[in-house]
Amino acid sequence: MIRTKTTFCKKENMIRRFYIVIIFILTASTQSVMAKDSSQTLPQKYRSSHHAGIRLGVWSNKGESPPAISIDSTLLSNMKDNNFFFEGYYGYRLTASLMVEGSVGLVNRGSVTFKEFDTDKIGNVLLYSMLIQGKIYPLGSSSLRLQPYIMAGGGLYYGKRSVQFTSNYYYYNNVGEESDTDFRYTVGGGFDYPIASMLALDFSIKYMAIDFSDKLITISNYEGLAISVGLQYFWSGTKKTK
């Protein structure tokens, strides 16, 4: 038990160090690019722009975890507490301090094997998020390049246990799979940092309150915390700032 906790702590420390290094490299590597843009013109342009981009990061489990092996040995689970997270998003600027953002995210929780009637069904547990969030920029009216934000919203969470392989000679698509949906909220925050005339960095922390009504792989609580770094493209919107 002590060995398991020690390994888990080491993994968390490695992930933290990884993102510290990534943020440092991204910030340092953009200094020459930022010098080409006026420190006054770029923030002003960004405050009146829409944006779209992608985020990559770590999804950390804050909910339940299924047993590695069930009592009757019909379930073998290899679901991790920390997984790769991907998210694509589009933000529509309403004012310099307010934006509406739509996002689609994906996380693979790990592999699962089910044994039914002497047949092994091997697949993955996938979580999808389709969310709409309001983002408030407290310093949106300022001329600062660094723009912190807080966000809140909600939408659809979809969980699925897929089957990619089976030991049975005959297999029909979707047979033996299971899924569930949940409409719940999300809250978080982060900051944007424009680095060029049409590019900006994005750091985001987002809590996702996923709790399915039915159990998916013996558990229903799939709450998680997504920590990600993104790159966004922005263009002039219809709202003008002073």
Side-chain angles (χ1 to χ4, degrees):
M1 186 67 178
I2 295 176
R3 187 177 180 182
T4 302
K5 289 184 178 179
T6 302
T7 303
F8 179 73
C9 291
K10 287 182 178 179
K11 289 182 179 180
E12 282 197 326
N13 290 333
M14 289 178 63
I15 292 171
R16 292 193 189 100
R17 291 170 185 170
F18 171 78
Y19 278 103
I20 291 174
V21 172
I22 289 296
I23 294 172
F24 175 80
I25 292 175
L26 289 174
T27 303
S29 64
T30 56
Q31 294 301 314
S32 60
V33 179
M34 292 187 299
K36 298 179 182 180
D37 295 287
S38 168
S39 61
Q40 296 298 324
T41 304
L42 185 56
Q44 183 178 6
K45 178 182 178 181
Y46 186 77
R47 298 197 319 268
S48 62
S49 299
H50 308 312
H51 65 225
I54 60 173
R55 299 185 182 108
L56 304 176
V58 172
W59 190 93
S60 179
N61 178 41
K62 300 302 178 184
E64 301 173 286
S65 295
I69 303 176
S70 62
I71 297 176
D72 56 3
S73 299
T74 59
L75 168 65
L76 303 176
S77 171
N78 188 27
M79 291 173 61
K80 308 297 184 181
D81 281 332
N82 294 291
N83 307 95
F84 176 75
F85 174 76
F86 169 84
E87 187 175 48
Y89 61 96
Y90 169 79
Y92 183 84
R93 180 81 63 175
L94 299 176
T95 69
S97 301
L98 182 61
M99 175 174 283
V100 175
E101 180 184 287
S103 65
V104 177
L106 169 65
V107 58
N108 185 340
R109 285 296 313 275
S111 62
V112 174
T113 300
F114 258 96
K115 296 179 179 292
E116 294 179 336
F117 305 108
D118 296 326
T119 299
D120 291 343
K121 297 179 180 179
I122 305 170
N124 294 297
V125 175
L126 304 174
L127 299 178
Y128 300 87
S129 61
M130 288 158 275
L131 307 171
I132 296 178
Q133 300 118 163
K135 299 174 68 175
I136 298 176
Y137 292 83
L139 305 179
S141 299
S142 71
S143 59
L144 296 176
R145 190 187 294 260
L146 182 68
Q147 288 292 315
Y149 62 83
I150 56 175
M151 62 181 174
L156 173 68
Y157 295 105
Y158 175 73
K160 178 180 180 180
R161 178 179 68 85
S162 63
V163 176
Q164 280 88 37
F165 306 99
T166 177
S167 61
N168 194 334
Y169 181 78
Y170 297 100
Y171 175 68
Y172 299 93
N173 290 335
N174 302 319
V175 173
E177 298 183 340
E178 59 179 336
S179 63
D180 202 357
T181 58
D182 185 29
F183 289 90
R184 288 176 67 84
Y185 69 91
T186 180
V187 293
F191 63 83
D192 296 339
Y193 195 86
I195 58 176
S197 58
M198 302 179 74
L199 293 176
L201 297 178
D202 171 27
F203 177 79
S204 173
I205 299 178
K206 183 185 298 185
Y207 171 74
M208 301 183 185
I210 308 174
D211 193 359
F212 297 119
S213 56
D214 296 324
K215 290 186 177 181
L216 184 64
I217 312 300
T218 73
I219 61 175
S220 59
N221 190 330
Y222 280 85
E223 297 177 0
L225 187 67
I227 304 173
S228 57
V229 178
L231 181 66
Q232 62 181 236
Y233 168 82
F234 64 90
W235 64 96
S236 298
T238 56
K239 301 294 181 181
K240 304 297 181 181
T241 58
K242 298 181 179 180

